[in-house]
Amino acid sequence: MHLNNTKIQEYKTFCEEMTRVAGKILLDYQNKFKVVNQKDIQDIATSADIASEEYIIKSVLDKYPTQGVLSEEKGSINPESEFIWIIDPLDGTKEYVRGIPQWNCSIALQYKNETVVACVYRPYENVMYSAGKDLGSFKNGEKIHVSDTKNLENSFVYCYIPSYKRNQDKYDEGFANLNKIGKKAYRLRALADENTALCWLASGGCEAYLNLSNPPKDHDILPGLLIAKEAGAFNAMNKIPLVVANNESVYNELNQIISI
């Protein structure tokens, strides 16, 4: 099958509509959610996650019954399909349960293992970031683009703080590299919400995003990566160390510091 721009636009519109409704479900559950799965002392799933996820899966399978879904909670459905919807019904559960408005609903569509559509919806702000392959990136329907800052000295850089419990081997090295970058960048900020950070990069709010030591799951980063890439970001690829910058110049400065 040939996936043309018209078809990608169709999937993008569907994804935007679906993600927006799923995000509103999360808002509705904010004051009444229950913990339904205690994965470890801090890693949980809530009734909000489940309700949002159930809506997304049903929406996909009702409209495209032969397509696949890969979800954080439910796992894989129709994994043999060329089309796989990768969903995170509540990205930022730890913040959600604490009443911190740093969470989102994220969905990406992959066709033959390539991300072709992505949405990241932040319900508290009613902000929808989206992108389609070769269609560009958008914030609430308006096209966005990375900033034109050309050097690290004037750059805002967001990063995922190294986690000792997740990756002890890279913990000290990760902080050592962040120490070097912090001395060169205009500002270094921490943000574990990778999809949101990449959307901020796409819209010119920062110049780079780094994850030097904590390999993310696909649903945590693929939507944001496509949105950043379609907005003009450089090296928007899912690999560790992850360095995504607004342009090659800033990327190369970061590269020289951490020796990718």
Side-chain angles (χ1 to χ4, degrees):
M1 155 175 199
H2 176 63
L3 196 62
N4 58 31
N5 286 358
T6 300
K7 197 66 178 176
I8 291 175
Q9 180 63 55
E10 174 192 316
Y11 285 127
K12 176 177 169 290
T13 300
F14 171 67
C15 189
E16 289 168 342
E17 294 169 350
M18 179 170 57
T19 310
R20 192 176 297 277
V21 174
K24 290 180 177 178
I25 290 172
L26 297 175
L27 279 178
D28 290 342
Y29 270 81
Q30 182 76 84
N31 296 317
K32 62 181 182 181
F33 69 84
K34 297 179 180 178
V35 175
V36 297
N37 185 9
Q38 189 86 31
K39 303 174 187 178
D40 64 26
I41 192 170
Q42 295 286 335
D43 194 4
I44 61 174
T46 72
S47 53
D49 302 58
I50 301 305
S52 177
E53 180 184 63
E54 287 177 348
Y55 163 76
I56 296 169
I57 292 174
K58 184 177 187 304
S59 297
V60 168
L61 297 181
D62 282 352
K63 191 170 181 66
Y64 306 110
T66 64
Q67 295 187 5
V69 175
L70 180 61
S71 174
E72 182 179 21
E73 305 301 335
K74 288 286 187 182
S76 184
I77 300 170
N78 297 337
E80 71 287 347
S81 174
E82 291 182 331
F83 291 90
I84 302 293
W85 294 86
I86 298 172
I87 68 176
D88 194 344
L90 176 51
D91 182 7
T93 304
K94 296 177 182 65
E95 287 75 15
Y96 180 86
V97 301
R98 289 167 173 77
I100 300 171
Q102 189 56 54
W103 50 270
N104 65 73
C105 179
S106 298
I107 303 177
L109 173 62
Q110 287 201 318
Y111 174 63
K112 295 183 177 179
N113 297 314
E114 180 184 12
T115 307
V116 294
V117 165
C119 291
V120 176
Y121 181 52
R122 294 177 56 79
Y124 256 108
E125 304 159 6
N126 192 25
V127 173
M128 172 72 72
Y129 295 95
S130 60
K133 181 187 175 185
D134 298 329
L135 299 181
S137 294
F138 303 84
K139 177 182 179 181
N140 288 345
E142 298 293 326
K143 204 156 191 179
I144 56 176
H145 198 272
V146 296
S147 81
D148 59 3
T149 299
K150 294 295 192 296
N151 56 71
L152 186 58
E153 182 182 8
N154 292 323
S155 295
F156 256 77
V157 177
Y158 277 88
C159 69
Y160 194 120
I161 292 293
S163 171
Y164 188 73
K165 290 185 178 180
R166 288 189 62 190
N167 194 341
Q168 296 181 17
D169 292 344
K170 296 291 184 180
Y171 184 77
D172 291 335
E173 179 185 349
F175 266 114
N177 280 322
L178 289 178
N179 179 47
K180 297 175 188 175
I181 292 166
K183 294 175 180 177
K184 297 287 187 179
Y186 175 67
R187 289 292 186 272
L188 180 63
R189 298 282 193 255
L191 187 65
D193 181 350
E194 296 180 289
N195 281 323
T196 292
L198 289 165
C199 289
W200 291 348
L201 170 60
S203 57
C206 63
E207 280 67 51
Y209 183 74
L210 313 172
N211 181 339
L212 305 182
S213 59
N214 305 314
K217 297 177 181 177
D218 284 349
H219 56 257
D220 289 325
I221 199 163
L222 291 183
L225 282 175
L226 181 66
I227 292 168
K229 180 179 180 181
E230 285 293 322
F234 186 80
N235 201 48
M237 295 166 36
N238 187 11
K239 65 175 185 176
I240 296 293
L242 172 76
V243 178
V244 184
N246 63 326
N247 55 49
E248 189 173 4
S249 176
V250 173
Y251 174 84
N252 285 339
E253 285 193 69
L254 291 165
N255 179 23
Q256 290 172 6
I257 294 171
I258 66 174
S259 300
I260 295 176

